[in-house]
Amino acid sequence: FIFIFTLSFTLSVQRINLPPENFDKWNNLQSNHTWIGWTEYGGYPICKAVRTLPFNIDNISIAIEDKRNYPNIFERITQVRLYGEDVLHIYLDMPFPISSRDYIVKYEYIEKNNKKNYRFFSVNHPKTIEFKDAIRLPNAGGEWILNPLNANSTEVTYIWNGELLGDFPNWALTNAWKTQGTEVLDWLNSSLNR
């Protein structure tokens, strides 16, 4: 009881609502090899990118679970701090003139219907450092969904809260979401090809 009581004060959680997996009211942004859409859900802009990668689901899940290695997989992630096995502090180096962003999330793993789901949601952690040049994203959250199509092909879905905060102009958000969805799945594909 004391451990659970203490943990509730050390990790305060900000869990955003994500659309259910069968949700189909997405605003289409892109329909090429990476499909990208967005919707307003639970008061936040939620984005979704889907692409089929020519890899076994286990190989992709190894990359998603290797959180310490994220800077070698996702190019905009330049720093990662692990606060325990499932709590991750990520620093994103954004292109000039956009300020960098950072966020702290906790991962949860769920396996159902042969799919592997990795949900992540914002937490406050007592060991958190402040990056002076970064805008903190306190509502970060999302999910990776890995759906095996066959032994060597997996549909990868990446869902995230598209809120960027700071002085990022609203008119540029859809372009930023298309870029992020494409880049993240391109980088994951490239890392698996190495």
Side-chain angles (χ1 to χ4, degrees):
F1 173 76
I2 293 172
F3 173 75
I4 292 170
F5 184 73
T6 304
L7 189 61
S8 68
F9 280 102
T10 59
L11 282 182
S12 97
V13 175
Q14 173 61 31
R15 189 184 297 258
I16 64 166
N17 288 324
L18 296 176
E21 205 168 323
N22 62 353
F23 184 83
D24 63 357
K25 293 183 173 93
W26 298 96
N27 300 297
N28 189 356
L29 295 175
Q30 176 176 296
S31 293
N32 55 28
H33 65 281
T34 302
W35 180 91
I36 300 172
W38 80 279
T39 190
E40 187 79 23
Y41 195 86
Y44 296 102
I46 305 298
C47 306
K48 177 179 180 179
V50 182
R51 182 170 172 186
T52 298
L53 298 183
F55 300 99
N56 180 284
I57 187 172
D58 293 328
N59 292 340
I60 298 172
S61 65
I62 287 168
I64 300 298
E65 291 172 13
D66 190 7
K67 300 170 188 78
R68 194 176 302 278
N69 195 37
Y70 278 9
N72 297 318
I73 298 173
F74 307 107
E75 292 181 20
R76 289 207 194 284
I77 297 177
T78 58
Q79 293 184 54
V80 168
R81 294 175 185 264
L82 288 173
Y83 304 132
E85 186 177 325
D86 295 324
V87 178
L88 189 63
H89 190 167
I90 292 177
Y91 178 88
L92 297 170
D93 187 14
M94 303 294 278
F96 180 82
I98 302 166
S99 299
S100 297
R101 303 294 196 266
D102 77 315
Y103 57 90
I104 301 126
V105 289
K106 177 172 176 40
Y107 272 76
E108 287 181 345
Y109 173 71
I110 303 160
E111 191 168 345
K112 60 181 179 182
N113 302 326
N114 294 325
K115 295 180 183 179
K116 294 185 177 188
N117 296 41
Y118 299 88
R119 280 202 164 205
F120 53 95
F121 49 89
S122 282
V123 295
N124 291 321
H125 195 278
K127 293 183 181 176
T128 300
I129 64 159
E130 294 292 327
F131 292 104
K132 291 181 183 176
D133 63 338
I135 294 172
R136 175 70 46 88
L137 300 176
N139 305 309
E143 183 172 25
W144 289 94
I145 303 170
L146 308 182
N147 179 23
L149 302 177
N150 57 48
N152 295 305
S153 183
T154 304
E155 181 185 71
V156 178
T157 301
Y158 171 56
I159 299 171
W160 73 99
N161 179 355
E163 181 181 62
L164 285 173
L165 300 179
D167 55 2
F168 198 88
N170 284 340
W171 59 264
L173 282 172
T174 55
N175 217 20
W177 297 334
K178 282 195 295 188
T179 300
Q180 181 174 348
T182 301
E183 285 180 344
V184 165
L185 293 179
D186 281 350
W187 293 330
L188 179 60
N189 184 58
S190 295
S191 75
L192 291 162
N193 270 311
R194 287 186 212 133

